[in-house]
Amino acid sequence: MPKFGFIVRDFLKDLNNDQLKAVDVTEGPVMVIAGAGSGKTRVLTYRIANLLQKGVDPFNILSLTFTNKAAKEMKERVMQLVGDHEGRNVWMGTFHSVFAKILRIEGKHLGYPSNFSIYDSDDSKKLIRSIISEKSLDTKVYPYSYVANRISMAKSSLVSPEAYAANAEIITADESARKPEIKNIYNTYSNRLRRADAMDFDDLLFNTYLLFSKFAEVLLKYQRKFKYIMVDEYQDTNHAQYLILKKLAANTENICVVGDDAQSIYGFRGANITNMLNFKHDYPDYKLFKLEQNYRSTKNIVEAANHIISYNKDQIKKKVWTNNDKGSLLGFIHASSDNEEGNLVANSVFELKMNNQLPNSDFAVLYRTNAQSRSMEEGFRKLNIPYKIYGGTSFYNRKEIKDLLAYFRLAINHNDEDSLQRSINTPARGIGKTTMEKITVAASEHDVNMWEVLNNLEKYGVNLNSGATTKITNFSTMIKSFAAEMKKKDAYELARHIAISSGILKMYREEDTPEGISRVENIEEALNGIKEFSEKGAEANEGDLEHQGTLEEFMQDVALLTNQDNEDEEDKDKVTLMTIHSAKGLEFPYVFVVGLEENLFPSIQSIATRSELEEERRLFYVAITRAEKHLTLSFAESRYRWGQFTITEPSRFLDEIDDSLIDRPKKTILRPDKGGDLFGNEAAVVLPKRNLKPVSSSGAGKSFEASDTGGLQTGMKVEHPKFGKGKVMVVEGNGPNKKATVFFNGVGQKSLLLRFAKLKIIG
């Protein structure tokens, strides 16, 4: 009679032939290559159930995952198969949670009490920030995020503070980066954690490795305990995890690793794909099983994914297939700009929703960088389609954007106290908490706003030392200078000036971490949006510089856009917007992969070596395989980068999908490296036609034709479709910035940007 009520015939009923083989072989090293949507979680759970059914004690089984969600899902499935009592006794959880449990029991060997504290990333950064301050180090030279990332990477590579300081190569690298004190910060940080009986997340791995390396009797105890080891997402393991697993499995070698080398996308976090590629060298007598049947996606989507991944050299070969329907061809959106891309994606979602009566939650938009969400968000807002940012924050609610917007608001309205408090010491200017408390108290006592006190410290009895007074005065002067430029500069020029002069841009650039790079990209994207706002404002008003899209007008728009974020979080029916990294492990019926352009996807920072490019290709593979029913690929011919209009080139990844799989309407796109027609296509999404009629207040009507204004001179008579007839008073500037001051009869004087102004020369 099978133990725990697990019925053997369930294997035959619930598993395909390849899955059954992977479940049935329980002894010795096993590698399961599980293609996207092939049922790897089912294999892991049935494998555990099979071991229990064979009489293995659940306390002798170790199952490791990377996320709490995956661990919870697996445990629930196991308990459904074998019952709650036995299922909950399996040692199952994330690497960090299981190793923390072991360290609670065995930490005394390393000098830790069983109730040691665990510092999360915020706690760690706070401690590092404190140490940098205590050492009187310049935070611009030693941004805490950079230092935290450096220490984390050292621990993940099992480099102790002592080994770090003794490594000539590491020290030379730090000295070249003008950060020679990192070794001392790392050492102090490590000592502070020990003094507090605390470990950070990286220590949970580092100290487990240390425990098993230094204390043979402890290692033997857990080798005997964990007779069967299973690891999910093995391709995402780092060096420390790899070595710990190798030690634990050395006795019985009953280790089963499940993963997909084609979905290894976390190299920037220390994940090492060679752990999976070299499994056959670590365990020469291993058995390999491939799960190649995809249950998730249509044939066309699966074939597209196969085409993409076939271009990678470093991989374990497999051919994913499916019995699902062929499905529709991959959709294709060819936009002229990133903003149009957002509009076309939103229109496509709207059309699919309406035609098929689908919920918003069926749709996901995936992008390479967080900054790309801006144009997508604006496209969805225009059509009132609710959306959510998964694993991130709505663009205008991100810290770095809110920091920048605070300066904009304060320049426009000096009495905005929330913006004043946010910006006055961001970046750090030495205006501390005590100084701000004195200003706040004085404002409250005299019933005036903080800006008034800040500019009249002596009048309101705020006693500060000369240094603090100078810093306050300098800040006030800077904000006043921004306000003075309000009428002289357009929205983009002023916004960029503020981003640079305030120090916001420099602060995030100097972080020099993945997080800092992302924040700089987001600020860049915000400035790009303002640039387009400025130009469209001038164009929409026929070059009228009095209504050209000022920073004040932009901030009004932003206020309206961000109000939508006060929504009911319980409402789940929303389109999901997320980075591709965040999408791993998820699936959606309808997926849009946007921004498929060279230097964006693949990223310009990830094409220096073949290994980097192959990780970018694996990331695209992950994006494609999130789609169940329909996949749409999108790229834009142009984007703004630091305010510069940039012509983009379609991603090389688009060339790697067979043309027969993509619905590409015809349009000619020239690509310099190919010297001719690349796709022969045009926008796959066409907006509905609208009957738009030109409006003319001057009576010029439909027959109005603008003249070439290249030779426009003072004294000429002109006609404008909106303002009527007038006389040119002044012509100034050159090229795209050339403008004219014109006096219009019955309207008055107008300043016009000639590249947008529609003027007919009449005399």
Side-chain angles (χ1 to χ4, degrees):
M1 181 70 182
K3 195 175 180 181
F4 310 133
F6 185 81
I7 310 301
V8 177
R9 67 172 178 272
D10 283 347
F11 286 127
L12 300 175
K13 183 181 74 174
D14 297 337
L15 303 175
N16 65 34
N17 191 49
D18 292 327
Q19 292 171 336
L20 186 57
K21 289 177 184 175
V23 165
D24 193 42
V25 177
T26 57
E27 305 302 309
V30 171
M31 174 182 277
V32 180
I33 301 299
S38 63
K40 70 178 178 66
T41 304
R42 172 166 291 191
V43 165
L44 281 167
T45 53
Y46 273 79
R47 189 177 171 86
I48 293 170
N50 187 31
L51 286 168
L52 294 173
Q53 189 261 334
K54 288 182 174 181
V56 175
D57 190 319
F59 288 97
N60 293 145
I61 300 173
L62 172 64
S63 179
L64 296 169
T65 67
F66 272 85
T67 66
N68 288 313
K69 179 184 175 185
K72 182 182 177 184
E73 180 185 355
M74 205 175 298
K75 184 155 254 182
E76 287 173 350
R77 290 198 192 184
V78 169
M79 288 192 294
Q80 286 173 4
L81 288 172
V82 303
D84 290 3
H85 179 68
E86 295 301 329
R88 72 176 68 255
N89 289 333
V90 175
W91 274 57
M92 187 183 301
T94 64
F95 280 89
H96 290 89
S97 66
V98 170
F99 293 168
K101 188 175 178 180
I102 291 173
L103 288 168
R104 294 266 184 226
I105 300 168
E106 310 293 348
K108 59 183 179 291
H109 295 282
L110 298 173
Y112 286 93
S114 60
N115 63 340
F116 65 83
S117 298
I118 298 176
Y119 278 21
D120 63 20
S121 57
D122 287 339
D123 297 327
S124 297
K125 287 179 180 178
K126 185 177 179 182
L127 176 56
I128 290 170
R129 187 190 286 116
S130 173
I131 293 168
I132 290 170
S133 176
E134 288 169 15
K135 291 181 179 295
S136 300
L137 297 172
D138 188 343
T139 55
K140 294 176 182 177
V141 178
Y142 294 92
Y144 69 88
S145 291
Y146 176 91
V147 176
N149 187 62
R150 190 79 172 152
I151 292 173
S152 177
M153 291 302 285
K155 288 187 179 184
S156 295
S157 300
L158 300 175
V159 177
S160 67
E162 296 77 18
Y164 191 102
N167 188 303
E169 187 178 343
I170 291 175
I171 298 306
T172 300
D174 283 347
E175 288 174 348
S176 298
R178 297 187 305 111
K179 295 172 174 58
E181 286 298 310
I182 287 182
K183 65 178 184 294
N184 295 324
I185 298 172
Y186 183 13
N187 186 59
T188 303
Y189 173 71
S190 181
N191 290 337
R192 288 286 182 82
L193 286 173
R194 287 302 301 253
R195 195 171 76 189
D197 286 332
M199 299 185 199
D200 63 18
F201 283 165
D202 294 310
D203 284 329
L204 297 176
L205 303 181
F206 188 100
N207 286 332
T208 300
Y209 174 77
L210 210 59
L211 180 71
F212 291 157
S213 298
K214 285 191 170 185
F215 302 94
E217 71 280 10
V218 177
L219 174 60
L220 184 59
K221 173 183 173 181
Y222 286 93
Q223 285 176 335
R224 288 172 174 171
K225 177 177 180 59
F226 300 132
K227 296 176 181 176
Y228 296 89
I229 300 171
M230 273 161 284
V231 187
D232 190 17
E233 304 287 9
Y234 188 65
Q235 77 279 353
D236 293 333
T237 52
N238 63 22
H239 185 59
Q241 290 161 331
Y242 164 76
L243 290 178
I244 293 169
L245 288 169
K246 199 169 182 186
K247 284 181 177 294
L248 281 174
N251 198 13
T252 65
E253 292 197 347
N254 289 332
I255 181 170
C256 172
V257 299
V258 180
D260 183 3
D261 58 296
Q263 296 186 65
S264 178
I265 59 173
Y266 294 118
F268 65 96
R269 292 183 188 168
N272 191 346
I273 190 175
T274 59
N275 294 345
M276 188 159 215
L277 298 177
N278 291 336
F279 189 82
K280 62 184 177 183
H281 301 303
D282 293 332
Y283 305 97
D285 60 340
Y286 86 115
K287 292 182 174 62
L288 174 66
F289 300 100
K290 296 180 182 180
L291 307 183
E292 297 173 306
Q293 183 176 359
N294 179 296
Y295 291 93
R296 176 187 300 158
S297 308
T298 64
K299 281 187 172 69
N300 282 332
I301 293 171
V302 169
E303 278 305 303
N306 283 338
H307 277 287
I308 285 295
I309 206 62
S310 68
Y311 283 82
N312 271 12
K313 181 179 178 182
D314 290 335
Q315 62 170 299
I316 299 171
K317 293 290 184 180
K318 61 181 178 297
K319 179 70 174 177
V320 179
W321 59 278
T322 183
N323 276 331
N324 292 341
D325 293 339
K326 187 172 185 179
S328 58
L329 293 176
L330 277 60
F332 187 71
I333 291 177
H334 171 179
S336 61
S337 68
D338 49 346
N339 266 28
E340 185 186 56
E341 182 183 41
N343 293 334
L344 291 174
V345 168
N347 268 273
S348 183
V349 169
F350 184 81
E351 184 179 333
L352 285 165
K353 265 184 60 181
M354 294 299 104
N355 290 346
N356 300 286
Q357 296 299 299
L358 301 170
N360 295 309
S361 57
D362 273 4
F363 297 87
V365 180
L366 311 182
Y367 34 75
R368 180 64 181 82
T369 67
N370 275 308
Q372 291 171 259
S373 79
R374 180 192 63 83
S375 58
M376 295 298 130
E377 289 186 66
E378 291 179 4
F380 283 113
R381 284 175 181 136
K382 288 174 185 174
L383 293 179
N384 292 317
I385 298 174
Y387 65 87
K388 62 183 176 184
I389 307 291
Y390 182 95
T393 309
S394 181
F395 186 81
Y396 289 108
N397 277 340
R398 289 174 187 148
K399 179 187 182 300
E400 59 276 15
I401 303 303
K402 289 174 77 72
D403 287 343
L404 185 61
L405 296 185
Y407 277 97
F408 295 170
R409 282 197 298 268
L410 191 59
I412 294 166
N413 173 17
H414 298 338
N415 296 332
D416 186 336
E417 293 195 348
D418 180 65
S419 295
L420 189 152
Q421 289 176 315
R422 186 177 188 102
S423 59
I424 197 166
N425 207 38
T426 304
R429 296 186 175 87
I431 302 174
K433 185 179 178 182
T434 303
T435 298
M436 291 308 297
E437 284 176 349
K438 289 180 179 180
I439 292 172
T440 303
V441 169
S444 178
E445 287 178 349
H446 294 88
D447 195 25
V448 295
N449 63 63
M450 292 175 67
W451 179 261
E452 170 69 17
V453 175
L454 187 137
N455 284 278
N456 299 279
L457 296 172
E458 189 175 340
K459 175 181 176 181
Y460 292 104
V462 180
N463 296 315
L464 301 175
N465 60 43
S466 59
T469 301
T470 300
K471 290 166 185 173
I472 290 288
T473 302
N474 289 343
F475 176 76
S476 172
T477 302
M478 179 179 67
I479 298 301
K480 289 174 183 175
S481 75
F482 294 160
E485 297 291 326
M486 201 78 66
K487 301 296 182 186
K488 300 176 185 177
K489 289 181 166 67
D490 67 23
Y492 170 72
E493 291 172 335
L494 180 56
R496 180 163 176 75
H497 173 66
I498 291 173
I500 295 170
S501 300
S502 67
I504 286 284
L505 198 50
K506 185 180 179 185
M507 176 179 73
Y508 287 123
R509 272 182 177 160
E510 289 180 344
E511 281 190 11
D512 196 22
T513 64
E515 183 183 36
I517 291 170
S518 177
R519 285 178 167 169
V520 170
E521 287 174 345
N522 287 338
I523 292 173
E524 174 189 350
E525 184 60 24
L527 294 173
N528 290 341
I530 297 170
K531 175 76 170 181
E532 191 157 3
F533 176 88
S534 296
E535 294 198 345
K536 283 193 172 179
E539 188 173 11
N541 290 285
E542 286 85 24
D544 181 3
L545 291 177
E546 292 178 17
H547 305 283
Q548 126 175 40
T550 65
L551 192 60
E552 291 170 274
E553 292 168 342
F554 175 78
M555 289 304 294
Q556 289 174 19
D557 277 10
V558 169
L560 293 173
L561 293 180
T562 53
N563 279 344
Q564 70 89 37
D565 292 316
N566 298 321
E567 58 197 3
D568 181 8
E569 288 302 322
E570 295 304 312
D571 178 13
K572 304 296 184 186
D573 188 26
K574 299 172 185 174
V575 176
T576 300
L577 310 183
M578 68 173 85
T579 63
I580 302 165
H581 281 101
S582 298
K584 190 166 179 288
L586 303 176
E587 55 192 48
F588 300 89
Y590 296 83
V591 170
F592 291 76
V593 184
V594 301
L596 281 163
E597 298 135 36
E598 284 293 299
N599 299 331
L600 178 57
F601 196 15
S603 166
I604 193 171
Q605 296 168 332
S606 303
I607 54 176
T609 65
R610 181 168 58 80
S611 63
E612 290 175 340
L613 178 60
E614 291 200 350
E615 178 153 329
E616 286 289 289
R617 188 176 285 112
R618 292 194 296 270
L619 189 61
F620 186 39
Y621 177 87
V622 167
I624 288 175
T625 54
R626 298 313 93 198
E628 298 172 352
K629 294 181 180 178
H630 187 71
L631 173 69
T632 301
L633 307 176
S634 171
F635 88 99
E637 291 180 3
S638 64
R639 284 183 190 272
Y640 277 96
R641 291 187 181 276
W642 292 114
Q644 296 300 311
F645 182 78
T646 305
I647 301 299
T648 63
E649 183 181 339
S651 170
R652 68 190 74 189
F653 296 154
L654 289 169
D655 284 339
E656 294 173 0
I657 301 175
D658 193 280
D659 278 341
S660 65
L661 297 172
I662 305 180
D663 183 13
R664 290 172 170 164
K666 298 198 171 175
K667 178 177 181 178
T668 299
I669 305 172
L670 296 180
R671 188 155 120 179
D673 66 328
K674 295 205 170 184
D677 182 65
L678 172 64
F679 297 124
N681 22 325
E682 83 189 346
V685 179
V686 181
L687 296 174
K689 292 183 179 178
R690 296 186 177 93
N691 295 321
L692 301 177
K693 297 180 180 178
V695 178
S696 171
S697 59
S698 68
K702 297 178 182 177
S703 61
F704 185 87
E705 291 183 9
S707 304
D708 179 357
T709 55
L712 192 70
Q713 297 179 7
T714 300
M716 284 185 170
K717 293 180 180 179
V718 294
E719 185 176 1
H720 188 278
K722 182 176 180 181
F723 305 131
K725 295 179 180 178
K727 184 177 181 180
V728 178
M729 310 300 292
V730 178
V731 178
E732 54 189 335
N734 296 299
N737 296 318
K738 190 173 183 181
K739 60 184 178 180
T741 301
V742 183
F743 184 86
F744 292 100
N745 301 330
V747 176
Q749 188 169 292
K750 291 286 182 182
S751 183
L752 303 173
L753 199 61
L754 291 182
R755 62 174 165 149
F756 293 129
K758 296 173 182 174
L759 291 176
K760 179 192 291 185
I761 299 174
I762 57 176

